[in-house]
Amino acid sequence: MRLAAAALASASLFALAPGCPPALPERMADTGGGSQLITAQAARPSARTGTVTWWERRHGRWVRAGSAAARFGARGLTEGSSRRQGTNTTPTGLYDLPYAFGIKAAPDGTRTPYRRIHRDSWWCQDNGSRSYNRWTEPRPSDCRAPESEHLISYRAQYAHALVIGFNYDRPVRGRGAGIFLHVNGRGPTAGCVSVSASAMRQILTWADPGQAPHIAIGTAGGATAIARY
């Protein structure tokens, strides 16, 4: 018993040692003001893979609640404020998570508002439409089908998903539309962040709107460093 207690005390001292780096959210400029945060980090802007980690604030400190391998845009990541539509890049920045959606029913325990996909569900990406960067059901006449996503066509990716609030509140035409956290497809995304199906379900059952969850997307360093957001 004495040896075990000594080992535990030693481990605790090590965890509190000044040399231990602070958790990633502790190093960020802003975490959105809530007590839940998702970070999606890549090693560099050109990377197409990285890590998604979900954190929660407990007793004044950020604690990791889960983590999973992630995929980003086919052309990597770019600064969200200057991103252009159609570049296959994932926008960096700090964003809210307006609601969840999916072809499948919400996992048990999901508290985030959840919308089911139907055959007439579309996400409008037509820059000339009044419904730009919005879910439409059915697709309005001013939103061209080739410029939009027929959501039910992405059965794997949109089994479950979260809307990322990039360019959402006051959409800027040409900046980009339909940026989500969703289930992995066959490879990199067109600009979204994706994780495995099991990780996506875990995130949906973990996220609590009452704790104002946000997502921060960025790189380990440089101009798009996640710590800047």
Side-chain angles (χ1 to χ4, degrees):
M1 292 295 290
R2 290 180 179 177
L3 288 174
L8 180 60
S10 177
S12 298
L13 288 171
F14 179 78
L16 295 173
C20 293
L24 179 56
E26 305 285 358
R27 294 184 275 119
M28 292 176 57
D30 187 5
T31 56
S35 53
Q36 286 189 334
L37 177 71
I38 300 171
T39 56
Q41 187 178 45
R44 61 191 66 85
S46 61
R48 299 189 293 178
T49 60
T51 304
V52 159
T53 306
W54 45 108
W55 309 80
E56 51 195 44
R57 197 159 179 80
R58 301 178 192 165
H59 309 296
R61 305 185 71 176
W62 286 101
V63 179
R64 188 177 73 168
S67 185
R71 298 176 184 174
F72 299 102
R75 294 189 178 178
L77 298 84
T78 193
E79 172 61 49
S81 62
S82 57
R83 181 185 184 270
R84 302 304 300 168
Q85 186 164 320
T87 55
N88 288 337
T89 54
T90 298
T92 61
L94 177 69
Y95 307 105
D96 63 354
L97 299 162
Y99 62 92
F101 67 91
I103 293 173
K104 296 183 178 180
D108 290 342
T110 299
R111 288 162 289 183
T112 302
Y114 192 90
R115 189 169 185 176
R116 289 293 296 274
I117 290 173
H118 302 105
R119 291 198 174 276
D120 59 351
S121 303
W122 292 75
W123 196 276
C124 184
Q125 300 180 3
D126 188 334
N127 282 284
S129 174
R130 290 170 294 179
S131 301
Y132 179 70
N133 202 20
R134 287 292 184 272
W135 178 302
T136 63
E137 197 173 294
R139 178 175 55 83
S141 59
D142 71 341
C143 184
R144 295 168 293 170
E147 299 296 323
S148 303
E149 280 194 351
H150 192 198
L151 297 177
I152 204 166
S153 298
Y154 299 88
R155 293 192 172 274
Q157 295 93 324
Y158 297 158
H160 296 116
L162 270 166
V163 176
I164 294 176
F166 166 74
N167 200 31
Y168 190 77
D169 286 341
R170 297 180 179 84
V172 176
R173 265 61 175 181
R175 183 155 293 167
I179 301 298
F180 312 127
L181 172 60
H182 63 68
V183 177
N184 287 334
R186 293 184 178 181
T189 73
C192 296
V193 180
S194 72
V195 294
S196 68
S198 61
M200 193 67 234
R201 289 193 298 271
Q202 289 178 57
I203 291 169
L204 284 177
T205 56
W206 162 84
D208 179 359
Q211 298 188 54
H214 283 67
I215 184 169
I217 306 169
T219 53
T224 54
I226 201 167
R228 291 180 57 244
Y229 301 111

